[in-house]
Amino acid sequence: MEEEQTVRELGHDEFDPNGTLALITVYFLILLAMWVFMYFVEFLGNELTVVG
């Protein structure tokens, strides 16, 4: 027996990307926290170091 599945078309105006916005925001906050750690903990108050 075949079951009929309802397919709903999602138009461009109905698309609301809250999940994508949340992921981008979380990713940006992680990058910001990493920058703050690198700047204030690793580099502030230390002299320049050359690696290589």
Side-chain angles (χ1 to χ4, degrees), residues 1-46:
M1 185 186 271
E2 272 187 47
E3 295 181 12
E4 291 186 24
Q5 294 181 353
T6 304
V7 177
R8 182 171 166 242
E9 293 290 329
L10 187 62
H12 182 70
D13 293 334
E14 295 175 324
F15 183 64
D16 193 15
N18 287 332
T20 304
L21 182 62
L23 286 176
I24 291 172
T25 303
V26 169
Y27 184 67
F28 178 75
L29 290 175
I30 291 171
L31 288 177
L32 185 65
M34 288 169 37
W35 180 84
V36 168
F37 175 77
M38 288 296 291
Y39 184 77
F40 288 106
V41 175
E42 296 290 332
F43 297 126
L44 195 64
N46 296 332

